[in-house]
Amino acid sequence: MGRHGYAQREAGVTPFWGPDFDELAETDPEIASVVLGELDRLRGGLQLVASENLTSPAVLAALGSTLTNKYAEGYPGRRYYGGCAQVDRAEQLGIDRARELFGAEHANLQPHSGASANLAAYAALVQPGDTVLAMELPHGGHLTHGSRVNFSGRWFDTVGYRVRRDTELIDYDEVRDLARAHRPKMIICGATAYPRLIDFARFREIADEVGAYLMVDAAHFIGLVAGRAIPSPVPYADVVCATTHKVLRGPRGGMILCRGSLAERIDKAVFPFTQGGPLMHAIAAKAVALREAASPRFRAYASQVVQNAQALAAALAAEGMRPVSGGTDTHLALLDLRAVGVTGRDAEARCEAAGITLNKNAIPYDPEKPMVASGIRVGTPSVTTQGMREPEMRRIGGLIARAVRTDPGRPGGTETLARLASEVAELVAAYPAYPRG
Ligand SMILES: *Cc1c(COP(=O)(O)O)cnc(C)c1O
């Protein structure tokens, strides 16, 4: 039996009925092998996807708990079902922790994902057909910021702003001009592939000038805000949407912070407008992550995440990969590979063969199609959770550069990539993800 399995329960040692791997292995060996295989993958390679992280055992324990069984439509103290006294405590703790950590007047922890949080923000603030000003996807925006294949582009009249060609920074003058010309009801800032700080005060000024709401999509960087590594959007935004599973290192899910005056509209937009019953196990796990994120240890973590991203960007720059915008202030860097003569798609595949997981990414004004792309995106949340620091980032920069330059179609290429994979395995063995008991 596992640490929290029947044995202890029967002995009355702990009332907790938590994840018991033996139980899974017995009931469903196929899924058990997936879980083990994924753990091996995490332990055996480098995870550099900027939107991923490695949750703590405490977060996983809450996620794998019996709270998943409870129907709790509504909010703490106002539910449509009985038996909610316990889950009410979890959600209230989470709300209180979020408000305290971010200095927000109101918090909603029920969105199932970042995209669901954004859908609720649209539902609360605008009507179908209204104009919304947001960053263009190829310049770092998200699908929910107006893509034609998403509800946002289908149901709203979206106008996109870009980064400047010369600096690759948000063009605030263009944002202001577009806002004046189109009079949007809502302006969105926050991105999935923008390595620099965003001037929230400037966005607030522009939104005020045209009478628009300001929604900050902090999905990627809310964890850096929690750890005080970058400035907070909370004082400037009407609504801040976020995920809980990126730098914040919580369970997969969403979160909304807002002014008290918008609390009721946000809550109603989440439930009953866009969602049904909340995922109480996930909400409890969000509460755990928020408690962890309020600790001095997490502050040290968040600042190391940024230092690591800067070290990695510098190491890659030294290898001829140009950091878009010249570097990074956050947990991620975007690298232009055109000078190396390798596409983002090929770079991603070569790194994968070398045990390095990262993603191809369009760079601003990318001449390639999105599925090919001229760049890659790297992020340091996971490797920093594993305890790596600047010296390891320099090593990783070298490993990425060698992988990217190795064509598996050339003689000896596959062998070189396999050799790199064993170097990667050796490096990560010293900083294991989920160390064995
Ligand atoms: C990741 C992300 C989202 C979506 O989060 P999901 O949980 O994948 O739905 C939304 N906006 C931005 C800016 C993101 O980076």
Side-chain angles (χ1 to χ4, degrees), residues 9 21 35 63 75 90 94 116 132 154 188 207 209-210 221 229 245 269 303 322 335 383 385:
R9 188 183 150 80
F21 189 78
V35 174
L63 265 183
Y75 290 96
S116 303
V132 174
R154 178 94 65 87
I188 302 178
E209 189 189 324
V210 299
F221 56 78
H245 52 272
S303 90
R322 188 185 68 85
L335 291 311
V383 290
T385 293

Side-chain angles (χ1 to χ4, degrees), residues 16-18 61-70 281:
F16 182 67
W17 190 291
L63 265 183
S65 71
T66 58
L67 299 192
T68 193
N69 298 323
K70 193 71 201 91
H281 59 307

Side-chain angles (χ1 to χ4, degrees), residues 51 112-118 140-145 189-193 217-221 241-246 252-254 377:
S51 49
H112 300 331
S113 68
S116 303
N118 289 356
H142 187 258
L143 284 168
T144 52
H145 299 180
C189 64
T192 66
D217 185 352
H220 252 272
F221 56 78
C241 291
T243 64
T244 48
H245 52 272
K246 297 183 182 175
R252 188 157 292 283
R377 189 184 67 163

Side-chain angles (χ1 to χ4, degrees), residues 50 135 138-141 163 167-170 172 190-199 220-221 224 229-231 305-306 309-310 313 322-336 361-364 376-380:
M135 193 178 215
H139 287 245
V163 298
T167 58
E168 299 176 308
L169 300 176
I170 292 171
Y172 294 95
T192 66
Y194 188 72
R196 295 302 192 169
L197 298 179
I198 294 169
D199 189 343
H220 252 272
F221 56 78
L224 296 178
I230 63 167
V305 164
V306 175
Q310 290 168 341
R322 188 185 68 85
V324 166
S325 83
T328 179
D329 306 315
T330 64
H331 61 298
L332 68 86
L334 197 58
L335 291 311
D336 173 358
N361 213 104
I363 58 170
I376 52 172
R377 189 184 67 163
V378 294
T380 51

